[in-house]
Amino acid sequence: MGIALLVACAVVVAAAVVTGLVRAGRREARAERTRLAEEARRQARRSLDEVWAMDGPRFEEHVAALCRRDGCTDVRRVGGAGDLGADVTGRLPDGRRIVIQCKRYARHRSVGSRDLQTFNGTARAEHRADVPVFVASCVFTGPARAFAARHRLFLVDVDLLGFWNSGTALTALLDLDIGRSGTNRRLSPDRD
């Protein structure tokens, strides 16, 4: 009886140790995933140094080139005076018409809902967009994100632009949930 009790106690202690080690391992794995995601975000933003040095028309051409790289067809840069909110147009690989508004702002700026409201007013009605996309080299405000979600506008903010610029396909970015992707925290002017 004493040996059985001793064995039972040893099993309970061993189970407690194993449980503690498993939990610690899970915490460590979560921390590592968080660290890797943050490092990927930093790398993606570093890839934008050239983008932040571009002027508006050059940024629009860069976005058009990214669309072509990802298999879009009939891609044209149409931005300029009187463009009615369309800087780049084309067709996604599946044939849907894409209309893109580009804003090459400084990294510490943000795009508000007013810009999205203007784009929303013309993207589908004027340009017959199946997929209206707003690309910015900065973040979108919280109200802008909420407006985009309500009106089915696709947002590519500084983080997603960094991933797109680094090789992630546009179609993969369009599958993200607008309401939960990205952040509305502005970057400081000198932050990587």
Side-chain angles (χ1 to χ4, degrees):
M1 184 75 158
I3 293 177
L5 187 58
L6 188 58
V7 169
C9 287
V11 168
V12 168
V13 169
V17 168
V18 168
T19 300
L21 290 173
V22 167
R23 286 183 181 156
R26 287 181 182 158
R27 278 192 306 273
E28 197 171 308
R30 272 193 306 274
E32 181 65 4
R33 281 192 301 273
T34 300
R35 187 192 69 74
L36 289 174
E38 185 56 35
E39 179 58 28
R41 189 176 353 274
R42 273 195 294 278
Q43 286 286 73
R45 282 188 178 158
R46 270 188 230 115
S47 78
L48 293 176
D49 286 341
E50 288 181 27
V51 168
W52 282 315
M54 295 176 183
D55 62 9
R58 201 160 150 240
F59 178 59
E60 293 166 5
E61 189 51 53
H62 180 70
V63 168
L66 290 173
C67 289
R68 288 184 197 101
R69 179 201 73 194
D70 292 343
C72 295
T73 58
D74 195 26
V75 176
R76 292 181 301 146
R77 185 183 83 73
V78 295
D83 65 15
L84 295 174
D87 294 320
V88 177
T89 62
R91 297 224 171 256
L92 289 168
D94 64 9
R96 292 179 295 164
R97 182 166 174 74
I98 187 170
V99 174
I100 302 174
Q101 170 68 46
C102 302
K103 291 292 183 199
R104 209 293 303 146
Y105 286 160
R107 64 181 81 194
H108 63 279
R109 297 232 0 231
S110 61
V111 176
S113 62
R114 174 174 241 166
D115 287 322
L116 293 179
Q117 291 167 24
T118 302
F119 178 58
N120 187 52
T122 60
R124 290 186 181 94
E126 267 315 300
H127 302 291
R128 299 174 320 280
D130 297 314
V131 181
V133 180
F134 202 112
V135 178
S137 61
C138 57
V139 297
F140 293 90
T141 64
R145 286 182 177 285
F147 180 85
R150 283 193 310 276
H151 294 277
R152 297 177 299 115
L153 302 175
F154 295 90
L155 303 182
V156 177
D157 68 1
V158 64
D159 289 327
L160 296 181
L161 179 58
F163 288 113
W164 190 19
N165 200 46
S166 297
T168 301
L170 174 60
T171 52
L173 300 177
L174 296 179
D175 288 337
L176 296 175
D177 180 351
I178 294 166
R180 295 186 311 166
S181 66
T183 178
N184 58 2
R185 291 186 317 261
R186 294 182 187 183
L187 300 178
S188 63
D190 55 345
R191 182 178 166 195
D192 281 341

XYZ file of all heavy atoms in Angstrom, residues 39-84:
361
model
N 9.033 41.251 -36.469
C 10.235 41.352 -37.312
C 9.850 41.393 -38.785
O 10.415 42.168 -39.556
C 11.189 40.177 -37.048
C 12.443 40.199 -37.893
C 13.279 41.468 -37.742
O 13.255 42.117 -36.682
O 13.974 41.827 -38.720
N 8.867 40.593 -39.197
C 8.395 40.610 -40.584
C 7.808 41.980 -40.925
O 8.036 42.517 -42.008
C 7.365 39.510 -40.814
N 7.059 42.570 -39.979
C 6.492 43.905 -40.193
C 7.601 44.949 -40.340
O 7.564 45.804 -41.210
C 5.546 44.250 -39.038
C 4.748 45.495 -39.260
C 3.723 45.833 -38.190
N 3.453 44.898 -37.133
C 2.578 43.889 -37.198
N 1.912 43.665 -38.287
N 2.388 43.101 -36.174
N 8.643 44.841 -39.494
C 9.768 45.777 -39.599
C 10.484 45.619 -40.940
O 10.828 46.609 -41.586
C 10.751 45.561 -38.447
C 10.404 46.347 -37.195
C 11.570 46.399 -36.217
N 11.908 45.101 -35.667
C 11.298 44.517 -34.648
N 10.313 45.130 -34.051
N 11.670 43.337 -34.212
N 10.696 44.368 -41.373
C 11.361 44.111 -42.660
C 10.527 44.679 -43.801
O 11.064 45.273 -44.730
C 11.564 42.609 -42.883
C 12.663 42.024 -42.043
C 14.023 42.430 -42.573
O 14.433 43.571 -42.423
N 14.702 41.492 -43.189
N 9.214 44.478 -43.735
C 8.336 44.977 -44.784
C 8.395 46.501 -44.838
O 8.458 47.080 -45.922
C 6.900 44.510 -44.541
N 8.409 47.144 -43.683
C 8.490 48.605 -43.679
C 9.835 49.085 -44.193
O 9.906 50.106 -44.888
C 8.246 49.142 -42.267
C 6.782 49.128 -41.915
C 6.526 49.824 -40.621
N 5.104 49.834 -40.335
C 4.609 49.991 -39.138
N 5.393 50.153 -38.109
N 3.311 49.992 -38.957
N 10.911 48.354 -43.886
C 12.226 48.739 -44.407
C 12.241 48.704 -45.929
O 12.927 49.481 -46.562
C 13.316 47.829 -43.845
C 13.896 48.367 -42.572
C 15.103 47.574 -42.118
N 14.868 47.254 -40.738
C 14.702 46.049 -40.229
N 14.812 44.991 -40.973
N 14.453 45.873 -38.958
N 11.453 47.782 -46.505
C 11.411 47.679 -47.960
C 10.718 48.889 -48.588
O 10.722 49.042 -49.798
C 10.716 46.389 -48.389
O 9.314 46.512 -48.283
N 10.139 49.751 -47.769
C 9.416 50.915 -48.275
C 10.254 52.189 -48.326
O 9.739 53.231 -48.721
C 8.177 51.155 -47.416
C 7.107 50.080 -47.522
C 5.982 50.373 -46.550
C 6.586 49.978 -48.933
N 11.519 52.125 -47.952
C 12.343 53.332 -47.976
C 12.315 54.005 -49.353
O 12.205 55.227 -49.452
C 13.779 53.031 -47.559
C 13.903 52.787 -46.062
O 12.987 53.205 -45.320
O 14.897 52.172 -45.643
N 12.397 53.220 -50.419
C 12.346 53.787 -51.766
C 10.975 54.384 -52.054
O 10.869 55.410 -52.717
C 12.668 52.721 -52.808
C 14.128 52.325 -52.830
C 14.410 51.284 -53.906
O 13.679 51.245 -54.925
O 15.368 50.529 -53.729
N 9.930 53.739 -51.564
C 8.570 54.235 -51.796
C 8.400 55.611 -51.171
O 7.844 56.524 -51.788
C 7.519 53.240 -51.239
C 6.138 53.856 -51.191
C 7.516 51.965 -52.071
N 8.870 55.778 -49.939
C 8.720 57.078 -49.281
C 9.528 58.173 -49.975
O 9.247 59.355 -49.803
C 9.090 56.974 -47.802
C 7.991 56.346 -46.991
C 6.668 56.628 -47.050
C 8.130 55.332 -46.005
N 5.972 55.845 -46.159
C 6.843 55.043 -45.499
C 9.209 54.644 -45.478
C 6.609 54.107 -44.508
C 8.975 53.701 -44.500
C 7.689 53.438 -44.022
N 10.501 57.805 -50.785
C 11.282 58.787 -51.526
C 10.631 59.151 -52.867
O 11.051 60.102 -53.515
C 12.696 58.253 -51.767
N 9.614 58.413 -53.288
C 8.952 58.653 -54.580
C 8.006 59.842 -54.510
O 7.471 60.156 -53.463
C 8.131 57.423 -54.990
C 8.916 56.193 -55.267
S 7.771 54.816 -55.614
C 8.961 53.488 -55.803
N 7.769 60.451 -55.682
C 6.700 61.443 -55.768
C 5.402 60.697 -56.112
O 5.411 59.476 -56.324
C 7.021 62.531 -56.790
C 7.172 61.997 -58.213
O 6.872 60.808 -58.474
O 7.595 62.783 -59.082
N 4.298 61.408 -56.165
C 3.002 60.785 -56.393
C 2.905 59.965 -57.681
O 2.520 58.793 -57.651
N 3.236 60.557 -58.853
C 3.142 59.795 -60.106
C 4.048 58.558 -60.134
O 3.660 57.511 -60.643
C 3.562 60.806 -61.175
C 3.239 62.133 -60.571
C 3.507 61.975 -59.097
N 5.224 58.681 -59.571
C 6.130 57.530 -59.534
C 5.575 56.429 -58.627
O 5.706 55.241 -58.915
C 7.517 57.980 -59.071
C 8.565 57.007 -59.490
C 9.955 57.607 -59.489
N 10.845 56.494 -59.202
C 11.657 56.407 -58.189
N 11.775 57.416 -57.364
N 12.379 55.344 -57.991
N 4.946 56.831 -57.521
C 4.316 55.866 -56.630
C 3.177 55.145 -57.355
O 3.025 53.926 -57.254
C 3.803 56.569 -55.370
C 3.097 55.660 -54.398
C 3.736 54.566 -53.840
C 1.786 55.917 -54.020
C 3.086 53.725 -52.928
C 1.130 55.104 -53.117
C 1.777 54.009 -52.578
N 2.380 55.888 -58.114
C 1.291 55.277 -58.872
C 1.844 54.254 -59.871
O 1.290 53.156 -60.012
C 0.487 56.350 -59.601
C -0.279 57.258 -58.660
C -0.793 58.525 -59.328
O -0.643 58.670 -60.576
O -1.345 59.376 -58.615
N 2.925 54.589 -60.547
C 3.534 53.650 -61.493
C 4.094 52.425 -60.769
O 4.017 51.307 -61.276
C 4.633 54.342 -62.310
C 5.157 53.506 -63.448
C 4.069 52.933 -64.370
O 3.228 53.696 -64.864
O 4.067 51.697 -64.591
N 4.624 52.640 -59.587
C 5.123 51.517 -58.777
C 3.975 50.563 -58.416
O 4.124 49.342 -58.524
C 5.803 52.054 -57.511
C 6.337 50.991 -56.612
N 7.416 50.216 -56.937
C 5.923 50.561 -55.391
C 7.661 49.351 -55.966
N 6.760 49.542 -55.013
N 2.841 51.104 -58.011
C 1.682 50.282 -57.682
C 1.209 49.532 -58.929
O 0.886 48.347 -58.867
C 0.554 51.139 -57.056
C -0.754 50.381 -56.977
C 0.980 51.619 -55.665
N 1.193 50.206 -60.074
C 0.812 49.544 -61.332
C 1.771 48.388 -61.636
O 1.341 47.304 -62.058
C 0.799 50.553 -62.476
N 3.066 48.597 -61.409
C 4.058 47.537 -61.646
C 3.831 46.351 -60.707
O 3.977 45.191 -61.117
C 5.471 48.091 -61.478
N 3.469 46.621 -59.456
C 3.164 45.535 -58.517
C 1.951 44.741 -59.001
O 1.925 43.512 -58.908
C 2.914 46.087 -57.111
C 4.132 46.650 -56.374
C 3.701 47.322 -55.066
C 5.162 45.578 -56.107
N 0.946 45.434 -59.534
C -0.236 44.747 -60.075
C 0.166 43.841 -61.238
O -0.253 42.678 -61.302
C -1.274 45.759 -60.542
S -2.107 46.645 -59.212
N 0.982 44.357 -62.148
C 1.435 43.547 -63.291
C 2.222 42.334 -62.815
O 2.036 41.231 -63.326
C 2.305 44.394 -64.219
C 1.539 45.419 -65.005
C 2.449 46.181 -65.987
N 1.798 47.394 -66.410
C 2.066 48.604 -65.934
N 3.020 48.782 -65.033
N 1.390 49.650 -66.363
N 3.097 42.540 -61.831
C 3.888 41.436 -61.282
C 2.989 40.318 -60.775
O 3.304 39.142 -60.899
C 4.766 41.964 -60.135
C 5.616 40.872 -59.466
C 6.068 41.255 -58.079
N 4.932 41.202 -57.148
C 4.942 41.726 -55.935
N 6.007 42.360 -55.485
N 3.876 41.636 -55.155
N 1.836 40.689 -60.208
C 0.927 39.716 -59.602
C -0.101 39.156 -60.576
O -1.077 38.547 -60.158
C 0.242 40.335 -58.385
C 1.211 40.595 -57.249
O 2.315 40.029 -57.271
O 0.859 41.361 -56.337
N 0.103 39.360 -61.869
C -0.752 38.740 -62.875
C -1.957 39.544 -63.305
O -2.810 39.035 -64.036
N -2.052 40.792 -62.878
C -3.152 41.638 -63.338
C -2.909 41.998 -64.803
O -1.767 42.100 -65.249
C -3.251 42.908 -62.494
S -3.685 42.600 -60.767
N -3.988 42.185 -65.536
C -3.885 42.513 -66.953
C -4.515 43.868 -67.228
O -5.242 44.410 -66.390
C -4.592 41.439 -67.808
O -5.957 41.352 -67.389
C -3.921 40.081 -67.641
N -4.238 44.413 -68.401
C -4.791 45.693 -68.835
C -4.544 46.787 -67.790
O -5.383 47.659 -67.578
C -6.290 45.536 -69.125
C -6.861 46.695 -69.922
O -6.092 47.348 -70.663
O -8.067 46.982 -69.773
N -3.379 46.722 -67.134
C -3.047 47.667 -66.060
C -2.576 48.982 -66.681
O -1.703 48.993 -67.550
C -1.948 47.095 -65.136
C -1.541 48.120 -64.083
C -2.424 45.811 -64.485
N -3.196 50.078 -66.226
C -2.808 51.407 -66.707
C -2.764 52.378 -65.541
O -3.605 52.330 -64.651
C -3.816 51.928 -67.726
C -3.809 51.149 -69.017
C -4.785 51.701 -70.010
N -6.128 51.672 -69.432
C -7.058 52.579 -69.670
N -6.834 53.590 -70.457
N -8.250 52.487 -69.109
N -1.773 53.260 -65.571
C -1.744 54.368 -64.623
C -2.525 55.491 -65.274
O -2.173 55.951 -66.351
C -0.321 54.814 -64.319
C -0.298 55.897 -63.226
C 1.087 56.408 -62.943
N 1.547 57.432 -63.839
C 1.126 58.708 -63.846
N 0.218 59.107 -63.001
N 1.624 59.565 -64.697
N -3.599 55.900 -64.627
C -4.470 56.923 -65.190
C -4.545 58.152 -64.286
O -5.321 59.060 -64.558
C -5.891 56.357 -65.453
C -5.850 55.284 -66.521
C -6.512 55.824 -64.177
N -3.776 58.166 -63.221
C -3.822 59.257 -62.253
C -3.378 60.574 -62.840
O -2.670 60.640 -63.831
N -3.824 61.617 -62.217
C -3.486 62.968 -62.634
C -4.685 63.870 -62.410
O -5.707 63.455 -61.849
N -4.599 65.090 -62.889
C -5.700 66.033 -62.726
C -6.950 65.476 -63.397
O -6.893 64.976 -64.522
C -5.329 67.375 -63.337
N -8.062 65.521 -62.705
C -9.326 65.055 -63.252
C -9.470 63.545 -63.329
O -10.289 63.034 -64.084
N -8.694 62.803 -62.545
C -8.746 61.336 -62.607
C -9.954 60.746 -61.882
O -10.203 59.551 -61.955
C -7.460 60.707 -62.090
C -7.199 60.967 -60.600
O -8.125 61.387 -59.877
O -6.061 60.744 -60.171
N -10.720 61.573 -61.194
C -11.904 61.133 -60.450
C -11.608 59.976 -59.505
O -12.384 59.041 -59.361
C -13.033 60.751 -61.416
C -13.585 61.902 -62.262
C -14.581 61.385 -63.274
C -14.202 62.975 -61.387
